[in-house]
Each structure stands twice: as structure tokens, then as C-alpha cells.
Amino acid sequence: MDTPLPLVKRLRDHVRLAAACAFSAVAVLYAVLCVKLTVVDMTDGVCDFGGCPRGLGSLVLWALAAGLAAGGLWWSAVKGRGYRSGVGWTVAVAVALVALWPGWLGFSWLRGPHMDLFSYQVPQSAEAGKPLGSWAGDPATGFVIRARADGVTGYNGEGRHGWGLPAPAGGAVCAMSTDTPSDTGLLTLTTAGSGCGNRLVAVDITSGKQRWTKDIPKLVGKPSAGGSLAVTATADAVVAYDLVTGAERWRSPLPAGASAMEVAAGPDRVLLLARTDKGVELFALDARSGALTWRFVMPVGYESPRIVSASPAAAVGDGRLLVFDDAGRPRGESEAPYVPTTGGAEWLVAGDVLYASVPEREQRELLAAFSLKDGRHLWTRAFDHDWRIRALAADRTGRIAVVTEGAYTHLWHLDPGTGKPAGESTVLRGLRLGESFALYGRTFVNLDDDARLPPIFDVAPTIGW
């Protein structure tokens, strides 16, 4: 007859057996996850150039540590013959299953936040060509608007069609304003038998209804909505309308021989960029009367100058940011870094700060912030490896959302004052992003003419591995 083992020894043997099973379960879980990350998620054959999935190195170490701990505990359990107890095995298996949950949480912490596709719109026909741009509706509802040559479509917070505004029969949408003050966006349309474009339309972006329409011959470039004005340039003048009613406020003729390039409207000023006999000049017009207040000859490099903001007045020429006072005198210049006027990512103006992707010795892109009050370079944010900046946006909390792409696509949220990330970046998994897109919260709007891409889609936190 076997002598029963002391209670303390039986408990100790049961604890060893349970711990051995728990560490074995975690070791097997981590080994499987390591294989998954290596075989499925790794973009290169080896972990170089950013191709190694985030957290893989630490996960391998924890898998080895759990395996070694399990081996030691199994040796102790076998030596003490704790495995002979049926009750001990029942408890050990239960503990092992429970241990998988904190083990999974540890893996989730090591790999950091991930998001993948949540919902999307079915891809559209490419017959209408490349999309022209997008607007954000009410941030609380996630409403977004996307424009193509064949019309403008609003999508509600669930990604479904909210409203549609088709182009006129035989015509097309030519251009759209960047901003939508008072929930009003501007479209330039062409009608049958005319050039692009000859009609200016103000749209209520909440309902898709036209507020007013003006037939204006020889429209030039994109219209601009700012303050209480709708402003557009023609072949011979800059014309301002009341944004809500469409009543003409003023008309300012272009200087003799001038050719309009771009207009931008603000609450107290309208800026016009035009080619003249002096080169490319920036003209400032009073927003109330259209009277010329000052003009400035822009520096010109291999890229055309562009207007950054009407209020405050700022423009980029020859890679330099110029910020002007009320008399048209430059307040300051950004000597470095170089500010390009062309590139994959659009600028972002949020408050009195310009955020722009800038090159670093032609090796990678950096995100730089510049004050629109005095032109100072505020900060520069570098990203890992050779990642390029794909999109910029201001989120609901005032932070700067940045999408970068390298071996993986990441979504960052940066402090607008310092450029420091607010936590770890989010890996965007398996998203079919085109060359051009806009980001509104968790909604992506495709701006490519690739018919294989959905017009809009949403992302959500990844569930599972």
C-alpha cells in the first residue's frame, strides 16, 4: 500500500505541473505566431530595410524564454512524479488554457496597434477618369464627399451613398475648391460645347443641393471658398461672390498682360498668383472691395510658385516659404529645409502652421512644420528607414495624422507643437492604396483613376493575428 504524500509536497508538485503546462502553452503559441509573422507578414526574406514585422525579435526571445522555462519545469515535475495525479492534470490543463490569454495580450503589446479593412464601396468604372478631390462633411458622422468628372457623390458614415450631384448632360466637373466654409463647396463645371469650365456652382455639402449657379466664361484654375466669399479667376479678372447667396460682391480686372494661375480666398484677403511681364507675381486684394493692396514678385525655380494661405498671407517660391505682413513685406523665409511645391503628399495648413513633406538629401522624406505668422521652421520629424509620406490630415483632437509607407504602411498621430508621436504608430494591414488618397479619421478616399480600387473604405482595429 502506497503511503500518501504529504499535502505540501502534493501541492508543490501540482504547481510545478501546472506551471510547466502553462509555459508550454505560451511557448507553442509564440512559436506559431513567430512562424506566422515570418511566413505571412514579413515583406523581405530577411529583417532588413524595415521588412521585419514589428515585435518579431522580441517575440522570438519570449518564445525561447517560455520554452526554456517549460523545459525546466517539466524536468522538475517529472522528477517529483507530480504528473501521476489526475487532479493535478485537470488543474494543469485548465491553467494552460487560461495562460494563453495573457500570452496573447503580450503578443498584442509587442506587435503594437494594427488596423485592417472594415468596410468599402464597390470599385467604380474608370470611364470618368481620375477623381478631382474630396471634401469632409460633418466629422461627427464621418460624412465624406468625392468628386469625379461625371459628378459628385456624398457618402455617409457607414460608407453608403448619401447623395449624388451628376455633371450636366454633355458636360463634366472640372475643378473643386479646397475648403468648404459654411458647409459650402465650389465646383467648376463645363457644359456641352464649351471649354473647362464656364459654370461656377456652390454646393451644400450636407445635402448635395445647389445653393446657386453662375455661368462665367473662361474660368481659370480652381475656385476658392474663404470667409464669406466664393472667388474665381477668369481670363481678364478676379471675381468674388457671396458664398451663400451668389450675389456678386466685386470684380477686380487683371493687370494688363497678366495671366491668372491660382486664387485663394480668406476672411480679410484674396491672393492671386499670376504671370506678368515681371515673372510670377503675387497680388493681394482686399476681401471687402477687391482693391489691390500690394503685389510681390515671387522667386521662381524649376517648380512653379504656389499659394499656401490667404490669411495669413503665405506662398512658396523656389523652395522657400514666404510669409507676408499687411503691407506685402516678407516677414521671414524658410531657408532650410527645402519646401517643394509638387509631390505625392499635399500640404496641410492647420491653424497658423504649414505641415509639408520635405526631402532630406534626396534620401527620404521628412515632415516639417513652419509658422505662418513669421515663416520660422518649427520642427522636423523623421520617420524610420526610407518611408515616404503619403497623406496628411488634422484629426478631431487637433493632432496631425500622417500616413507613411515603406515596407509597411503606418498611421501616425503627432503633436502639432512638437512633432512627437502620441503613442506608437498603427500598422495599416492589407490596404489597397493608390498613389493619391485623402484621409478623414478612419475613412480613406481614393483619388486614383484605377478602377480596381474602391472609391472609399474604412479601417478598424485588427481582430486576431
Side-chain angles (χ1 to χ4, degrees):
M1 182 176 180
D2 293 337
T3 303
L5 296 175
L7 178 61
V8 173
K9 185 178 185 309
R10 293 202 306 272
L11 290 176
R12 186 166 58 245
D13 290 342
H14 291 166
V15 168
R16 288 172 180 169
L17 182 62
C21 287
F23 276 98
S24 296
V26 172
V28 171
L29 172 65
Y30 282 2
V32 172
L33 292 172
C34 285
V35 172
K36 188 266 179 182
L37 291 180
T38 303
V39 174
V40 178
D41 293 349
M42 188 178 292
T43 60
D44 295 319
V46 293
C47 284
D48 59 357
F49 305 109
C52 186
R54 187 168 60 187
L56 177 58
S58 299
L59 187 65
V60 170
L61 295 178
W62 280 107
L64 291 175
L68 291 174
L73 289 166
W74 275 116
W75 178 84
S76 178
V78 170
K79 183 179 179 181
R81 297 188 177 183
Y83 60 87
R84 301 175 64 181
S85 169
V87 174
W89 273 110
T90 301
V91 173
V93 171
V95 170
L97 293 175
V98 171
L100 291 175
W101 177 240
W104 176 264
L105 294 179
F107 163 69
S108 297
W109 178 77
L110 289 174
R111 72 171 181 172
H114 282 58
M115 285 186 177
D116 53 18
L117 188 65
F118 177 71
S119 64
Y120 66 96
Q121 272 282 330
V122 176
Q124 298 173 322
S125 167
E127 294 178 358
K130 181 178 173 60
L132 302 172
S134 60
W135 292 320
D138 184 359
T141 61
F143 201 91
V144 297
I145 299 96
R146 181 176 183 262
R148 299 200 318 173
D150 60 348
V152 183
T153 305
Y155 299 90
N156 63 22
E158 297 178 347
R160 298 188 178 93
H161 286 265
W163 53 259
L165 181 64
V173 181
C174 301
M176 61 191 299
S177 62
T178 301
D179 299 318
T180 57
S182 302
D183 290 332
T184 304
L186 300 177
L187 299 174
T188 298
L189 305 181
T190 178
T191 56
S194 67
C196 199
N198 67 323
R199 179 174 294 175
L200 182 65
V201 177
V203 181
D204 181 345
I205 64 171
T206 61
S207 64
K209 296 181 179 179
Q210 298 184 27
R211 293 190 185 273
W212 50 266
T213 299
K214 297 287 182 180
D215 286 331
I216 308 171
K218 300 179 181 179
L219 288 173
V220 177
K222 297 170 59 175
S224 179
S228 61
L229 295 181
V231 179
T232 189
T234 69
D236 54 12
V238 176
V239 189
Y241 300 92
D242 185 279
L243 187 62
V244 176
T245 66
E248 184 174 320
R249 292 278 193 88
W250 48 261
R251 180 181 297 263
S252 180
L254 297 181
S259 174
M261 299 170 57
E262 182 182 3
V263 291
D268 55 2
R269 183 186 299 107
V270 172
L271 292 184
L272 165 70
L273 203 60
R275 295 190 184 277
T276 68
D277 55 1
K278 296 181 180 180
V280 177
E281 290 192 71
L282 185 66
F283 297 84
L285 310 177
D286 185 273
R288 292 169 297 181
S289 64
L292 178 66
T293 56
W294 52 263
R295 60 195 293 179
F296 182 85
V297 179
M298 292 291 296
V300 179
Y302 65 89
E303 294 178 344
S304 297
R306 282 182 59 188
I307 298 172
V308 173
S309 167
S311 296
V316 168
D318 195 23
R320 291 175 291 164
L321 173 65
L322 302 175
V323 177
F324 302 90
D325 62 16
D326 291 338
R329 295 184 296 262
R331 288 175 173 170
E333 296 185 6
S334 60
E335 296 295 342
Y338 182 89
V339 184
T341 59
T342 59
E346 286 293 323
W347 296 332
L348 173 66
V349 176
D352 291 332
V353 179
L354 166 68
Y355 303 92
S357 170
V358 300
E360 182 191 46
R361 296 187 299 275
E362 298 182 357
Q363 294 180 357
R364 61 174 176 173
E365 292 179 336
L366 310 176
L367 182 64
F370 304 90
S371 170
L372 294 181
K373 294 181 178 180
D374 54 21
R376 287 183 302 113
H377 172 217
L378 301 177
W379 51 260
T380 300
R381 171 69 187 175
F383 299 97
D384 295 340
H385 308 288
D386 295 326
W387 292 351
R388 62 178 179 137
I389 297 172
R390 300 295 312 280
L392 300 172
D395 67 15
R396 299 179 187 178
T397 64
R399 297 175 301 179
I400 305 304
V402 186
V403 177
T404 61
E405 186 177 68
Y408 302 93
T409 303
H410 288 247
L411 173 61
W412 304 77
H413 290 89
L414 308 182
D415 184 288
T418 63
K420 294 181 179 179
E424 202 168 12
S425 65
T426 299
V427 177
L428 302 176
R429 295 171 42 171
L431 302 185
R432 296 171 58 194
L433 295 175
E435 282 299 311
S436 179
F437 59 88
L439 172 64
Y440 303 102
R442 293 183 177 181
T443 301
F444 288 78
V445 180
N446 169 48
L447 300 177
D448 269 6
D449 55 358
D450 189 341
R452 298 170 297 178
L453 298 175
I456 72 165
F457 61 88
D458 296 287
V459 296
T462 299
I463 299 175
W465 64 4

